[in-house]
Amino acid sequence: MIRITTALTALALPFAPQAQAELPKDAQPALEKREKRIDSQPIRAFKVILVGDSTMAPGSGWASMFCALHVKSTVNCVNLGRGGRSTRSYRSEGSWSIALNEAKVAGYDKTWVLIQFGHNDQSTRAERWTDLNGEFGANLRQMIADVRAAGAHPVLVTPLTRREFRDGKIYNNLAAWGAEAKKVGAALQVPVIDLNTRSAAVVQRLGAVDSTALAQSPPLPEELEAAKKGTTLKARPAEEAREAAADLPKTGPRGQLRPKFDYTHVGETGAKVFAKLVAHDFAVAVPELRSHLMP
């Protein structure tokens, strides 16, 4: 621990350039020991763009762990998940245009766009909500058409389950939104990763108590006690940032996340669990990528 602290302290010190040292004799092989030079074969590079809400976004969703742990260097993995977005607000604010511009970038053998919405389409917020009976499916259809027009390949992802329980059973009120996404995928011949069903099965198997470990922060004693009885409490609002802006360094990164305990967002443990599910089902849905995805 002392060594790590010392190293971090050294990193904070001003950099003092040193004089150029003489290269050792074995810095590079002798010319006669090197193979005759040839050009490398062209690489087959792929791109995966992740589009969705906070259950996908950095710091609160599964997708950053997907990019970090489950793709090889032949895949450029771009996480464009953003908290609080629906199929409507993601487009109206301009995020969808950014995603399509990413999809149009040349140089990749193929580009896939994974689309996961539902949580905020279900919201009552004025800029977010959509109607499940028609509008949500129509928005997904338009997104699919846009991705194809950009020369990329769409993949639908059903919404990550919430980890709410009623009498010992998971209360998955996003299942209907997942069903609509599967219906659209079947009609338009688009691969579907059924994360809703898969994640609900995992959470049910863990149970109300053990699934609290998937959240960003530990539960309060009363939340844990409720889980032991099989019925979770209503989620708390987001906690305030632990540090005031004035306490942050004047130079370097100053952005803050607000980790909280709830039954929707995930911490590192939860992100790893669900990213692994997505990686497996993505490889099943798109066999062409199997050798470029890691379990």
Side-chain angles (χ1 to χ4, degrees):
M1 187 65 180
I2 294 176
R3 292 180 181 177
I4 294 174
T5 304
T6 303
L8 292 173
T9 303
L11 287 173
L13 296 175
F15 174 72
Q18 296 180 348
Q20 180 71 38
E22 183 178 345
L23 292 175
K25 293 181 181 180
D26 60 352
Q28 65 176 348
L31 187 60
E32 62 272 13
K33 293 184 178 180
R34 303 179 213 173
E35 295 180 356
K36 184 179 178 180
R37 181 178 287 175
I38 60 173
D39 289 334
S40 299
Q41 293 296 313
I43 188 176
R44 287 193 71 199
F46 303 95
K47 191 174 192 179
V48 174
I49 303 169
L50 301 148
V51 168
D53 54 38
S54 59
T55 61
M56 179 185 274
S60 59
W62 55 264
S64 291
M65 283 298 173
F66 172 83
C67 292
L69 302 177
H70 297 288
V71 302
K72 296 177 70 173
S73 63
T74 49
V75 178
N76 179 13
C77 192
V78 182
N79 184 4
L80 295 182
R82 305 190 197 284
R85 273 60 171 190
S86 67
T87 55
R88 188 164 65 89
S89 63
Y90 197 89
R91 178 185 293 277
S92 64
E93 72 179 8
S95 287
W96 183 237
S97 294
I98 293 171
L100 291 178
N101 287 335
E102 285 283 351
K104 294 173 185 175
V105 173
Y108 297 97
D109 193 78
K110 283 186 180 179
T111 295
W112 281 270
V113 181
L114 274 61
I115 302 167
Q116 180 207 276
F117 288 101
H119 284 81
N120 297 295
D121 290 82
Q122 191 185 52
S123 169
T124 58
R125 293 278 292 270
E127 76 281 7
R128 300 180 186 181
W129 68 265
T130 68
D131 187 352
L132 176 59
N133 299 315
E135 186 180 14
F136 178 64
N139 289 350
L140 291 179
R141 287 172 180 268
Q142 185 60 57
M143 286 180 154
I144 289 167
D146 292 344
V147 170
R148 286 173 167 167
H153 303 269
V155 177
L156 295 180
V157 183
T158 61
L160 180 71
T161 188
R162 292 191 178 93
R163 301 178 300 280
E164 298 174 356
F165 280 79
R166 305 281 175 88
D167 297 322
K169 294 184 179 180
I170 189 170
Y171 181 67
N172 183 12
N173 64 353
L174 284 159
W177 298 82
E180 182 64 20
K182 288 189 285 186
K183 178 181 173 182
V184 171
L188 299 184
Q189 296 184 316
V190 171
V192 178
I193 297 171
D194 191 4
L195 181 58
N196 182 262
T197 299
R198 292 269 276 146
S199 59
V202 168
V203 172
Q204 181 64 63
R205 188 163 61 248
L206 286 172
V209 174
D210 288 347
S211 65
T212 62
L214 306 180
Q216 293 176 301
S217 297
L220 294 175
E222 56 265 33
E223 290 166 329
L224 187 58
E225 190 60 31
K228 290 178 181 178
K229 296 177 181 178
T231 299
T232 52
L233 300 180
K234 183 178 179 181
R236 287 180 276 132
E239 297 175 10
E240 290 300 315
R242 297 178 187 274
E243 295 179 289
D247 296 330
L248 294 173
K250 293 183 179 180
T251 60
R254 290 175 60 84
Q256 296 184 79
L257 293 173
R258 297 184 178 184
K260 61 180 179 178
F261 175 82
D262 65 13
Y263 308 100
T264 300
H265 304 96
V266 295
E268 182 176 338
T269 298
K272 287 180 177 179
V273 169
F274 299 126
K276 189 178 183 69
L277 294 181
V278 173
H280 177 274
D281 289 2
F282 192 15
V284 172
V286 184
E288 182 179 356
L289 271 183
R290 285 186 65 189
S291 61
H292 301 272
L293 296 171
M294 295 187 291

